[in-house]
Amino acid sequence: MPKILIVGGGYAGFYTAWKLEKWLRSGEAEVTIVDPLPYMTYQPFLPEVAAGSIEPRHSVVSQRRHLKKTNIVSAKVTGIDHATKTATITPELAEPWEFEYDVIVVTGGAVSRTFPIPGIAENAIGLKTIEEAVAIRDRVVTNFDKAATLPPGPERERLLTFVVVGGGFAGIEVFAELRSFASALLEYYPQLTFDETHFHLIEAMGRIMPEVSLPTSHWVIKHLAQRGAEIHLDTQLTSAVDGRIELSTGETFESDLIVWTAGVMANPAIVRTSDLPVEERGRILTRADLRVGDEDDWVADAWAAGDIAAVPDLSGGGVGGYCVPNAQHAVRQGKLLAKNIVAVLRGEEPKEYFHKNLGAVAGLGIGSGVFQSGNLALKGLIAWFAHRGYHGLAMPSWERKFRVFWGWWNNFWLGRDIVSLAALQDPRAQFEAFAARPKPPAAAAPAPAPAVAASAGDTSKTVRTTAGAGVSRPAKVEAKGEPVAAK
C-alpha cells in the first residue's frame, strides 16, 4: 500500500488529507500528515479574534477530530530527501527519525516576511497564528487597564497608541477591527476618552488593498479617517527601537503595540532543507496540475500547494503569473490536489488548477465592511454581512461553522468579551510567587579560633592562656592598666 506523506497541516494540507479520506478506497493508500501544531488555523478570522469578536478555539480545526483515517504526527519535518524518498521527522521530545514514503505533498505554508528594520524583531508581532491574534487582543485590553490608572501624559499616550505595518487585506482588516474594538472598550473605561486613542497604519505604497478598485480603497481610507484612524501612504517605517516609531516622513511617536502584516514568505524551515526545485522567490516550483516541476518536466511523486508553492495562475489575475498566497487559493488547491493524487494512483491524468477570483471581501469592524467583484462594490453594513456569511460558510466542517455562527449570535445580544488573559503567557508566575519552598540546611557551628600568644616584647597588654584537653580557659587580659576577664 503506497504511503502518502503530507508536510504541513494548514489549509492546503488539511483539505488534501480530508478529501483523500473521502475519495481513496479502503486499502488504496496510507496517509500521514506531519505538523507541529495539532490544528488548522482559519486565518481570515484572525483579525476578528484579535478584536474579541470570535472565540480563538472556534477559528481553528482539530486535525484528530476531523481526520479520522489519517495518521497524525505532531512534529516538524526537518529534512526532505526526495532522491531516496525519505523525510526526517523531529518530534519535540523524542529523537529525530526517518520516514520512508512513496508520495510526498508539501503544504508547509508561509511565515511573516520582515525587513532588517531596527527594533522590529524585538518589538513587533505578526498575524499568522492564533496565538499572535490572542496576544494582540490581550495587549490592547491590558493597555487600557494600565492607562486608566495613569494621569494624562506621555506614558498613557504610549499605551493607547497602536501601529499596524502593511496595507494589504490582513493589515487593513486587523487595523479596522482594532479601531472598532478600542471604541467599544471606552464604554468600560470612563477615565479615558476617544481622542486619547491613536491608530496608525503605515504603507510603503501609494494605495491600500490592491485587490479592490482604487475608488473603493479611497472609500476605505476616508471611512477609517472618520473613525479616528490615520493611514500613512508612501511612508516607510525606519525604526521601532524600544517602541519609538520613526517614519520616513520624519514623524515620530511611541507605541506599545506594533502589528506586522507587510508580506509573507514560503516557510524557510521546509524549503531550505529539501532537495525539491525552488523558484527565485523561495517557493517550491510547481506546475498548474500541482506536481512539483515546471511546464516542461516534473518530479515524480512530488506535489505542492498553498502558500509554499509557486502555482501558475491560469486565469491571468495573479502577481507575476502565479497565484497569490491566500486562503481562497489554498483551500481549492488542496481539494484538487487530493483528486489529482487519486487520479494518478489509478493511472489517470491530473487536472490543472484554474480559479478566477470572483471578488474580495473584508471586514472593517462590527457593522462595516467592503466587497468588490468586478465593477460592483458594496460598502458598509451589507458588505459586512457578505464578509461574515462568506467566511462563516467557508469554515471547514459543520461543527466549526455552528460554533462560529453561534458565537456571533451571542455577541449580538451580549457584546464581545473584553477579558484579557495576558497571564497565560506566564501561567506559573503567581504559583511560583507564593509557593512554599524547603528551608536551606542550617549552617554548621564555626570552629573555635586558635589561641594566639602575645609577643614577649608587647608591653601594652599581656595575654596568658592555658590549654588543656582542647578546652580554652579564662585568661587575664590587661589593657591600659584595667584588668578585664576574657576567653
Side-chain angles (χ1 to χ4, degrees):
M1 189 164 59
K3 294 182 178 180
I4 302 174
L5 174 63
I6 301 175
V7 181
Y11 298 120
F14 178 87
Y15 271 93
T16 300
W18 205 23
K19 296 304 179 181
L20 283 174
E21 289 190 352
K22 178 180 179 181
W23 294 322
L24 284 173
R25 303 188 188 105
S26 178
E28 192 171 10
E30 176 184 314
V31 181
T32 300
I33 188 168
V34 181
D35 194 283
L37 299 175
Y39 52 79
M40 183 212 85
T41 302
Y42 190 72
Q43 293 182 1
F45 281 156
L46 293 183
E48 290 202 53
V49 171
S53 296
I54 291 182
E55 166 63 30
R57 285 186 175 87
H58 295 172
S59 61
V60 299
V61 182
S62 170
Q63 295 171 358
R64 297 185 183 274
R65 178 165 185 166
H66 297 284
L67 301 179
K68 299 180 180 179
K69 300 178 184 179
T70 302
N71 299 320
I72 310 295
V73 179
S74 296
K76 295 180 180 179
V77 173
T78 54
I80 298 174
D81 185 359
H82 192 65
T84 61
K85 290 191 175 182
T86 58
T88 304
I89 297 179
T90 306
E92 184 176 357
L93 299 178
E95 292 295 321
W97 50 284
E98 300 296 321
F99 182 91
E100 296 182 356
Y101 61 82
D102 298 291
V103 178
I104 192 167
V105 178
V106 184
T107 56
V111 298
S112 296
R113 181 192 62 182
T114 60
F115 306 103
I117 301 172
I120 284 296
E122 296 79 10
N123 298 292
I125 184 171
L127 191 66
K128 290 291 293 178
T129 68
I130 191 66
E131 293 82 4
E132 289 174 326
V134 173
I136 292 170
R137 183 202 64 186
D138 289 343
R139 176 70 66 86
V140 172
V141 178
T142 300
N143 281 10
F144 268 71
D145 289 332
K146 293 178 179 178
T149 64
L150 295 174
E155 180 61 18
R156 183 156 152 171
E157 184 175 358
R158 183 183 69 87
L159 291 171
L160 297 178
T161 300
F162 308 99
V163 176
V164 175
V165 184
F169 254 69
I172 289 295
E173 283 193 295
V174 71
F175 184 65
E177 289 285 356
L178 290 179
R179 173 67 271 184
S180 174
F181 187 34
S183 299
L185 284 175
L186 290 172
E187 176 186 352
Y188 307 99
Y189 295 88
Q191 306 91 337
L192 306 177
T193 65
F194 180 87
D195 292 337
E196 290 182 290
T197 59
H198 306 283
F199 283 81
H200 298 270
L201 184 134
I202 303 167
E203 170 54 49
M205 296 177 59
R207 62 163 300 177
I208 61 171
M209 304 174 73
E211 298 87 349
V212 303
S213 67
L214 193 59
T216 301
S217 69
H218 288 165
W219 179 87
V220 173
I221 294 174
K222 181 179 178 181
H223 175 69
L224 290 174
Q226 292 172 345
R227 291 165 51 185
E230 185 175 356
I231 295 179
H232 305 262
L233 298 179
D234 292 317
T235 304
Q236 296 181 1
L237 177 65
T238 58
S239 178
V241 176
D242 296 328
R244 179 177 173 81
I245 306 298
E246 297 181 8
L247 305 181
S248 58
T249 58
E251 186 176 356
T252 63
F253 51 87
E254 294 194 1
S255 172
D256 193 58
L257 176 61
I258 306 168
V259 182
W260 181 274
T261 64
V264 297
M265 64 179 180
N267 191 336
I270 296 175
V271 172
R272 296 173 185 173
T273 59
S274 163
D275 60 351
L276 298 174
V278 178
E279 48 94 58
E280 59 272 10
R281 295 190 63 183
R283 297 174 296 180
I284 294 178
L285 191 62
T286 309
R287 293 160 48 95
D289 58 12
L290 304 181
R291 287 184 285 193
V292 174
D294 56 28
E295 58 183 12
D296 298 323
D297 197 9
W298 67 86
V299 180
D301 301 321
W303 305 78
D307 294 355
I308 201 171
V311 179
D313 190 341
L314 301 182
S315 71
V319 177
Y322 295 101
C323 295
V324 297
N326 61 23
Q328 190 174 151
H329 284 302
V331 168
R332 289 169 173 81
Q333 289 172 8
K335 293 178 180 179
L336 178 64
L337 183 50
K339 286 184 179 180
N340 283 350
I341 291 174
V342 172
V344 171
L345 287 176
R346 297 173 183 173
E348 303 171 4
E349 287 297 317
K351 296 182 179 180
E352 293 185 334
Y353 175 74
F354 179 89
H355 172 66
K356 184 174 178 59
N357 188 1
L358 299 179
V361 61
L364 303 176
I366 292 180
S368 181
V370 61
F371 170 79
Q372 180 86 47
S373 179
N375 294 326
L376 174 64
L378 302 177
K379 310 175 186 70
L381 183 62
I382 188 172
W384 178 72
F385 277 117
H387 167 264
R388 285 205 161 181
Y390 172 79
H391 286 299
L393 293 176
M395 188 72 179
S397 84
W398 285 104
E399 175 254 341
R400 286 292 148 178
K401 287 180 175 66
F402 180 82
R403 291 182 187 273
V404 169
F405 280 107
W406 183 249
W408 281 335
W409 177 254
N410 288 336
N411 286 350
F412 177 77
W413 297 103
L414 305 175
R416 50 184 151 192
D417 203 328
I418 64 167
V419 175
S420 170
L421 298 178
L424 283 176
Q425 308 302 323
D426 190 7
R428 295 188 66 251
Q430 185 180 30
F431 180 83
E432 287 185 283
F434 297 101
R437 292 173 171 80
K439 294 182 178 180
V452 179
S455 173
D458 187 351
T459 58
S460 64
K461 59 181 179 180
T462 302
V463 179
R464 296 184 179 90
T465 62
T466 304
V471 179
S472 299
R473 293 188 178 183
K476 185 177 181 181
V477 180
E478 297 178 2
K480 297 183 181 180
E482 299 178 359
V484 179
K487 281 189 179 182

